DNA sequence: CTATTAGTTAGTTAATTTTATTAACTAAAA
DNA sequence: TTTTAGTTAATAAAATTAACTAACTAATAG
């Protein structure tokens, strides 16, 4: 007769705790784990032995005994090569794909053009990924799954992308589509949410339970971690910091709220808006060195910040106005959320040296001194690493994987 | 939470689940519980029998069998009179104390003047509570504990009130003091946090996991529930909606941020500010019916809204400006937090019929249609009920109580 | 300086306790 | 007779305690 254990999840739960403990405190001994988790020594021994059997951890070497003597401890290490995870960062211009080990070390990285393969995106993704796996000699069985960041609103429970303007997706059933190609589990979320998870895993927000991540790109978006959990909002609309109103009178004059998916703050401080304003301004200045560029095409937010930091007066004025709005946006958001850190990221942050001090000067008097404002640390690979982090989070524990040894 | 299978915690955990199940779905049978919780029938029977023994639940009557026959189920009911909880709402003018059963039915209610007993507040509280217990014939053993709401910043882990201007408390060790008088556990928190818990328990936010509660009184404060958990912030400063900046230019002209514990939004839309503005305005209008009152003393925010709803032009102008700021404050907060409901409360909400439609008109175009804006439902007893809810939450489960039967 | 011994810590083994399960029952209805 | 509610008895699994072995330090006697 098959009998269910008296609490199926219970042992697995404790095993996960032991693994988590080894992962964070490695190298660590069985005795130390027992102390930290308040488990008995035999329990730890059994769980550790199973974890070793399953190849999630390794015994390697022995530590020093304390000054008072005693048997020397056996060092346990997490086996970061026990399995691999795939991270995908779908952007408006390019799609980045990475395979990493369980510690976020990137094994293989590729990118392809979004627009060129938009019609066959999932197929292209499939091809690239299996090519990468072959190239890196990673077997399909050792791939736990995949995390994906998408520039739009994602219904995470169903994996449907409700809206992603830059990809022309409306109600695109990402998960259903991906299941036609991939046998491993896949998780999708908004790109900013993915980014803040990445920052908390490997970047500026490590060990922080309450994080506000602001991305200033074309528009302005934010990702919120509260109580160590991603907060997506009641209808996937939390963190719409681009919708903040920092000057209601100016807003009533200049802004039409009928625009869907475009808020006031982005209309005055978003990269696109800054670029447009700069373009317009320079078109009226025949002597400006960029006059011709401005006539032929639009200038970008990035260029505006670059010019400003070089001392260009027109750019400086536009940029400082935008920064002031952004600063009050941060003040508003931080007043409500009281995070431990505010992390800034996005295209315009290339000029962080110019931006951060100016923001800080305005923001500082209004916030508790404990709130730090920092730049994103992950840089280029933030997107894919965040996607990998999303997978690891949602998957809850690598221990859910079928044993593969 | 650590669950070790064959030790105390695991069984207790399951027992709590069963009790919770009965509490929410009563009347309910053993068989139904087994189905809902995916427990075996014997397990449920054992846990239920223990709960009956311990007097937390009752067997009462038998239900109907299904149309296909079968033995009729024994109905189980939660015993809301199994224990009692004390709620205390400390306000600037009066302290309200209530004893309620486990369902929030108030058994006994009293109030006393805050200022008069401020020096001996804890002693006074002690006297009143034990008098109430005697009067209601409630034994000390059946009192689980006490929840307290305080108008100030509270370090909830230690129970120290960091700052409560209206009580002249600075770093007042509430919990340490209370332990000198009360043998049962006590939990303290900020009054707005307490209020939102109350609303979620018995008011407008029942069954909502993400709630924004805004109290417009002298100042403006808010309480935030996210993922069904109170969010206090990294340094107990979350929800400072009174600090929002809704008009940065006006702010730079009119407002000095050096003021501690007083924000821009309260300075333009708080009850005190509205009262002051109205007073000033009427002092310049010799013919106004309230001219003499305004000369001799300050008018209040409540009065301003009353006058405005009666059509007084001066009041109307002041109040509508304030409401506009408040509306943009709500827009900002809701854009970031994307709550399921926004609940408004506080002194000025006496004129809710006047206020709500006006707010809604401004706010609606900017928020997802799913976000409802409602008035607080608990009214007079919101404070004490919230405090009781705080206790029941923090205490996690009434099952932690020592058995008393 | 070496050998012995006492004390300390790491980890294992064996017996036991607790919990929840399955299988098989009784009870009571259509 | 069939169906559902609830109980009883036997059993499996997880984690415990107690007692062990293993391996070390440090003190001390010779």
């Amino acid at each position: 007769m098959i009998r269910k254990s008296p609490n199926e999840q219970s042992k697995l739960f404790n095993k996960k705790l032991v693994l988590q403990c080894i992962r964070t405190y490695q190298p660590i001994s069985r005795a130390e784990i027992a102390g930290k988790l308040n488990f008995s020594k035999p329990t730890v021994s059994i769980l550790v032995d199973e974890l070793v059997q399953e190849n999630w951890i390794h015994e390697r070497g022995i530590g020093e005994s304390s000054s008072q003597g005693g048997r020397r401890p056996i060092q346990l290490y997490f086996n970061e090569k026990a399995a691999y995870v795939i991270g995908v960062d779908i952007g408006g211009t390019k799609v980045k794909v990475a395979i990493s080990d369980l510690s976020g070390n990137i094994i293989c990285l590729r990118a392809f053009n979004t627009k060129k393969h938009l019609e066959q995106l999932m197929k292209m993704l499939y091809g690239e990924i299996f090519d990468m796996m072959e190239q890196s000699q990673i077997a399909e069985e050792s791939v736990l799954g995949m995390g994906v960041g998408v520039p739009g609103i994602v219904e995470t429970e169903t994996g449907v992308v409700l809206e992603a303007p830059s990809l022309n997706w409306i109600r695109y059933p990402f998960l259903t589509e991906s299941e036609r190609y991939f046998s491993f589990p896949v998780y999708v979320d908004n790109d900013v949410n993915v980014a803040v998870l990445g920052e908390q895993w490997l970047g500026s927000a490590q060990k922080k339970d309450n994080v506000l991540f602001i991305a200033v790109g074309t528009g302005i978006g934010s990702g919120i971690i509260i109580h160590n959990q991603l907060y997506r909002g009641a209808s996937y609309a939390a963190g719409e910091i681009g919708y903040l109103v920092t000057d209601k009178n100016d807003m009533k004059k200049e802004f039409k709220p009928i625009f869907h998916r475009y808020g006031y703050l982005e209309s005055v401080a978003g990269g696109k808006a800054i670029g447009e304003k700069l373009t317009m301004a320079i078109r009226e200045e025949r002597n400006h060195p960029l006059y011709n560029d401005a006539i032929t095409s639009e200038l970008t937010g990035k260029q505006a910040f670059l010019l400003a930091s070089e001392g260009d007066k027109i750019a400086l004025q536009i940029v400082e106005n935008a920064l002031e709005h952004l600063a009050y946006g941060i003040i508003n958001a931080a007043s409500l959320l009281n995070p431990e850190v505010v992390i800034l990221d996005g295209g315009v942050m290339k000029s962080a040296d110019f931006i951060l001090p100016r923001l800080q000067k305005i923001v500082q008097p209004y916030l508790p001194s404990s709130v730090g404002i920092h730049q994103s640390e992950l840089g280029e690979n933030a997107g894919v690493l965040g996607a990998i982090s999303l997978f690891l989070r949602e998957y809850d524990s690598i221990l859910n994987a079928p044993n593969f040894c």
Side-chain angles (χ1 to χ4, degrees), chain A:
Chain A
M1 283 314 98
I2 301 154
R3 300 224 155 125
K4 271 206 249 174
S5 67
N7 212 342
E8 294 167 55
Q9 308 120 344
S10 175
K11 188 181 179 186
L12 192 65
F13 185 85
N14 290 340
K15 204 158 148 185
K16 283 178 192 174
L17 285 179
V18 169
L19 183 61
Q20 199 47 53
C21 189
I22 295 169
R23 218 173 158 182
T24 36
Y25 296 108
Q26 68 169 345
I28 190 174
S29 69
R30 288 168 172 81
E32 270 185 280
I33 296 170
K36 275 200 201 296
L37 297 182
N38 246 323
F39 288 171
S40 67
K41 291 197 286 173
T43 302
V44 172
S45 279
I46 288 169
L47 296 176
V48 161
D49 289 352
E50 285 182 25
L51 287 169
V52 169
Q53 277 294 309
E54 292 159 12
N55 203 32
W56 294 115
I57 60 173
H58 279 143
E59 291 184 333
R60 179 149 38 91
I62 40 179
E64 290 302 305
S65 34
S66 73
S67 60
Q68 299 176 83
R71 176 173 169 175
R72 290 164 70 190
I74 301 169
Q75 307 280 42
L76 300 170
Y77 291 84
F78 176 64
N79 177 16
E80 60 188 20
K81 307 291 182 195
Y84 299 88
V85 178
I86 294 164
V88 180
D89 175 19
I90 304 183
T93 54
K94 61 183 175 179
V95 177
K96 295 180 84 175
V97 190
I99 302 181
S100 93
D101 65 21
L102 296 173
S103 297
N105 301 307
I106 291 180
I107 308 297
C108 186
L109 182 70
R110 286 203 200 165
F112 59 86
N113 186 285
T114 308
K115 302 283 179 232
K116 203 183 282 176
H117 302 93
L118 195 53
E119 290 307 308
Q120 298 279 350
L121 197 123
M122 201 63 77
K123 197 174 177 183
M124 180 69 187
L125 211 51
Y126 171 80
E128 286 291 295
I129 286 172
F130 277 76
D131 203 46
M132 286 164 76
M133 279 161 58
E134 198 167 336
Q135 185 191 325
S136 320
Q137 305 233 40
I138 290 171
E140 197 178 344
E141 301 84 63
S142 59
V143 172
L144 287 186
M146 182 164 93
V148 183
V150 171
I153 303 176
V154 182
E155 200 175 81
T156 50
E157 280 85 359
T158 59
V160 173
V161 179
L162 298 180
E163 235 179 291
S166 58
L167 305 175
N168 280 321
W169 284 355
I170 293 173
R171 293 204 66 81
Y172 178 71
F174 193 97
L175 236 158
T176 319
E177 286 299 309
S178 75
E179 275 166 0
R180 294 175 49 204
Y181 290 91
F182 304 103
S183 55
F184 41 66
V186 176
Y187 295 93
V188 206
D189 205 334
N190 168 268
D191 54 353
V192 190
N193 284 342
V194 157
V196 66
L197 288 178
E199 287 296 329
Q200 201 203 24
W201 187 31
L202 300 167
S204 313
Q206 284 173 62
K207 290 174 192 172
K208 306 287 182 184
D209 272 359
N210 305 291
V211 184
L212 173 61
F213 178 93
I214 302 176
V216 187
T218 315
I220 303 179
S222 79
I224 299 171
I225 288 179
I226 280 179
H227 290 150
N228 198 26
Q229 264 204 294
L230 195 57
Y231 177 59
R232 298 185 170 101
S235 50
Y236 312 102
E240 283 294 2
I241 199 172
Y243 282 45
L244 291 193
V245 178
T246 44
D247 188 331
K248 78 175 170 70
N249 285 316
D250 176 59
M251 149 133 194
K252 285 198 289 188
K253 269 181 289 179
E254 306 277 342
F255 185 72
K256 308 174 207 78
I258 311 102
F259 264 10
H260 272 305
R261 310 235 40 75
Y262 194 57
Y264 172 75
L265 186 56
E266 357 191 47
S267 82
V268 293
K272 194 178 173 193
I274 294 172
E276 280 170 6
K277 280 186 189 170
L278 183 68
T279 311
M280 304 240 293
I282 289 185
R283 278 181 187 159
E284 302 193 348
E285 295 281 335
R286 281 202 159 264
N287 296 325
H288 197 279
L290 289 184
Y291 176 77
N292 286 321
D293 294 20
I295 291 292
T296 51
S297 74
E298 286 255 301
L299 300 171
T300 67
K302 261 189 233 181
Q303 282 177 294
F305 279 100
L306 225 79
L307 276 178
S309 60
E310 285 164 0
D312 183 283
K313 282 201 179 146
I314 298 176
L316 206 61
Q317 207 195 342
I318 291 171
V319 154
E320 292 213 307
N321 180 261
L323 281 184
E324 198 175 76
H325 276 285
L326 182 59
Y328 284 104
I330 295 175
I331 290 168
N332 285 353
S335 296
L336 265 176
L337 293 173
N338 184 220
E340 289 159 85
V341 277
V342 176
I343 297 172
L344 287 164
D345 191 23
V348 304
M349 278 296 133
K350 302 264 181 199
S351 316
D353 293 340
F354 173 81
I355 295 173
L356 275 183
R358 277 155 217 261
L359 277 182
Q360 238 138 5
K361 198 179 156 195
I362 309 177
V363 168
Q364 217 91 83
Y366 297 91
L367 295 190
S369 50
S370 56
V371 182
I373 301 186
H374 299 118
Q375 199 190 159
S376 155
E377 261 180 17
L378 294 183
E380 280 297 297
N381 294 330
V384 286
L385 286 173
I388 289 162
S389 167
L390 169 74
F391 173 83
L392 290 172
R393 284 285 202 123
E394 294 295 321
Y395 202 51
D396 174 44
S397 166
I398 52 183
L399 271 189
N400 294 331
N403 296 345
F404 57 90
C405 46

